[in-house]
Amino acid sequence: MQESKQSIYTLQFALLCLSSLLFSASFNMIIPELPNYLSSLGGAEHKGLIIALFTLTAGISRPFSGRLTDQWGRVPVMAIGSIVCVICGFLYPILTTLSGFFMLRLVHGFSTGFKPTATSAYVADIIPQERWGEALGMHGLCFSIGGAVGPAVGSFVAQNFGLNTMFFSSSLFAFLSIVIVLNMKETLHPKRKFQTSMLKISRSDILEKRAIPAGIVTLLSYSAYGVILTLIPDWSEHLEISNKGLFFTAYTLASIGIRFVSGKVSDRFGRIRVMLVGLLVIVVSLVLLGNGDSVSGLIIGACVYGIGTGILSPALNAWTIDLSLPQYRGKAMATMYIALEIGIGGGALLAGYIYQDFIPRIPYIMYGNAIVIFLAFFYVLYWDKTKTERSDRLL
């Protein structure tokens, strides 16, 4: 595949990345403090629901966001995702009952159900196909930086200024993301005016069949992130780490360097090879986290996990677009993200109910999830082999 000489690093692409960085920081900054916050509300045994409820509505909203992205436009769908974050940040300090908290987690999930779907389609619109891996890698890098900055800033603000200030700061970051998005050019042509009929979803609108293989790999591989989001805050406290965002900062910083090259490598050598390497590295990271009953062990595990996701994510996103048709990019990305939410939510829910605030169980949950990632690895091998056999038969 001949590489385009045109630079992908335009003002339009830079604004998109900055908006995603702020959006990611917004919803990630509150995550490390939510397990203790839920305990203070009397819901310690329901920590698995913190992430599971969030991902439930994110997944449910994907078919709608995919359809709206392909018909109404990329920009308004991105804006809706950030608006939800603004509203939720202001409501957390007000709705201080268990039922109120869980309702907010459900509503908050709509944010990630909308913005990433439209953003990925926007990237595919403005970047030549032979550079998708590189572009999605760089965009993922910015999203990950937000995921690193957010938890660190959120824990710092919570410790020094209180939880309410942290929630309001989350709203501020999301608001800045909206300001950027609303000043970006729409890339969907032709686009239609919003109609309520766009919200009528048929069975064919839910999944893009061509993207299902990418969805399977996404579901299995992202279960690890749900496990980590649920368990790492308590694991950090067990190791007497005051800033619970430290893991996420180390994990993201480790992924930054690899993302500079991993997308380009997948463009040159193929998505399959790169995904296989990424999956194996994630397996190693989970084993390290299970064995790392020390601060240094946690940081090493976080760095290896960051490297694994930094290798896997750009190739997996680009593979999803490769498998789809141009007119169904929004639906294809929605399909992948539905699988992502199921993976994260399922991992979080299962981890929470096995964990039950009993620290010695955490290593075994990590080892068990490593087996799930191995399943993703073998599925990719199987898919690649059957694809080759189908091609041979056609010849």
Side-chain angles (χ1 to χ4, degrees):
M1 187 178 289
Q2 185 177 1
E3 186 173 320
S4 171
K5 300 295 184 182
Q6 180 182 357
S7 174
I8 66 173
Y9 302 107
T10 61
L11 177 61
Q12 199 173 16
F13 183 67
L15 289 173
L16 184 72
C17 290
L18 179 57
S19 173
S20 291
L21 188 155
L22 292 167
F23 172 75
S24 176
S26 169
F27 74 85
N28 275 301
M29 69 190 305
I30 68 174
I31 288 176
E33 300 299 325
L34 288 184
N36 272 355
Y37 179 65
L38 180 59
S39 294
S40 72
L41 298 179
E45 69 274 20
H46 301 302
K47 289 180 180 178
L49 292 176
I50 292 174
I51 304 301
L53 291 177
F54 185 91
T55 58
L56 174 64
T57 44
I60 290 173
S61 66
R62 297 291 184 184
F64 298 96
S65 65
R67 183 177 172 85
L68 290 170
T69 294
D70 288 335
Q71 296 188 18
W72 186 27
R74 323 306 197 194
V75 170
V77 176
M78 287 192 287
I80 288 174
S82 294
I83 289 169
V84 171
C85 281
V86 172
I87 295 171
C88 288
F90 278 105
L91 290 179
Y92 278 108
I94 297 173
L95 302 177
T96 56
T97 63
L98 275 178
S99 58
F101 175 82
F102 289 138
M103 184 194 74
L104 268 180
R105 291 308 289 167
L106 281 168
V107 174
H108 208 162
F110 280 104
S111 63
T112 58
F114 273 73
K115 194 173 190 308
T117 301
T119 299
S120 297
Y122 197 103
V123 170
D125 290 342
I126 65 174
I127 302 298
Q129 181 177 0
E130 64 271 17
R131 304 284 293 279
W132 280 347
E134 179 184 356
L136 289 167
M138 293 306 298
H139 173 265
L141 167 65
C142 294
F143 198 90
S144 295
I145 291 173
V149 171
V153 171
S155 288
F156 174 81
V157 171
Q159 290 170 19
N160 292 277
F161 303 101
L163 286 172
N164 287 352
T165 305
M166 179 192 70
F167 289 130
F168 296 145
S169 299
S170 172
S171 291
L172 175 62
F173 276 62
F175 176 75
L176 294 175
S177 175
I178 297 171
V179 172
I180 294 171
V181 164
L182 293 180
N183 284 281
M184 295 175 63
K185 295 179 181 179
E186 179 58 62
T187 58
L188 177 65
H189 302 291
K191 58 171 291 186
R192 296 167 52 191
K193 290 184 178 180
F194 176 78
Q195 300 174 350
T196 55
S197 61
M198 293 179 181
L199 299 177
K200 295 178 181 178
I201 301 296
S202 65
R203 186 175 301 176
S204 62
D205 293 320
I206 296 176
L207 296 176
E208 169 56 45
K209 292 182 180 179
R210 297 173 186 84
I212 287 177
I216 293 172
V217 178
T218 301
L219 187 153
L220 294 171
S221 61
Y222 274 87
S223 63
Y225 196 53
V227 171
I228 283 170
L229 289 174
T230 302
L231 301 181
I232 288 300
D234 281 10
W235 194 234
S236 298
E237 187 174 2
H238 166 70
L239 299 175
E240 299 181 350
I241 299 174
S242 58
N243 190 320
K244 296 172 187 174
L246 180 62
F247 173 94
F248 299 96
T249 301
Y251 137 70
T252 307
L253 290 175
S255 74
I256 287 175
I258 201 69
R259 283 179 184 271
F260 279 109
V261 297
S262 61
K264 290 183 179 180
V265 171
S266 78
D267 287 334
R268 184 173 179 180
F269 296 104
R271 318 301 186 198
I272 299 298
R273 293 180 183 177
V274 175
M275 288 191 297
L276 290 172
V277 173
L279 290 166
L280 285 179
V281 175
I282 291 174
V283 169
V284 172
S285 73
L286 292 169
V287 174
L288 288 173
L289 286 172
N291 283 318
D293 194 8
S294 65
V295 175
S296 60
L298 181 78
I299 299 304
I300 292 172
C303 290
V304 176
Y305 181 69
I307 292 170
T309 56
I311 294 171
L312 175 66
S313 180
L316 187 51
N317 288 349
W319 190 43
T320 304
I321 298 175
D322 290 342
L323 293 172
S324 67
L325 298 176
Q327 64 268 34
Y328 298 127
R329 283 174 183 165
K331 186 163 71 168
M333 294 310 301
T335 299
M336 190 204 76
Y337 280 119
I338 288 171
L340 182 145
E341 308 300 353
I342 294 173
I344 295 176
L349 192 62
L350 190 59
Y353 281 114
I354 293 174
Y355 170 46
Q356 292 292 312
D357 273 357
F358 187 58
I359 290 291
R361 290 178 181 167
I362 289 181
Y364 298 102
I365 298 173
M366 295 291 183
Y367 302 148
N369 192 239
I371 296 173
V372 176
I373 308 303
F374 257 128
L375 293 178
F377 177 87
F378 289 119
Y379 175 77
V380 173
L381 286 177
Y382 170 78
W383 184 90
D384 192 44
K385 180 181 178 181
T386 55
K387 177 192 175 187
T388 303
E389 290 175 350
R390 287 194 300 269
S391 299
D392 291 341
R393 284 197 297 268
L394 289 175
L395 293 174

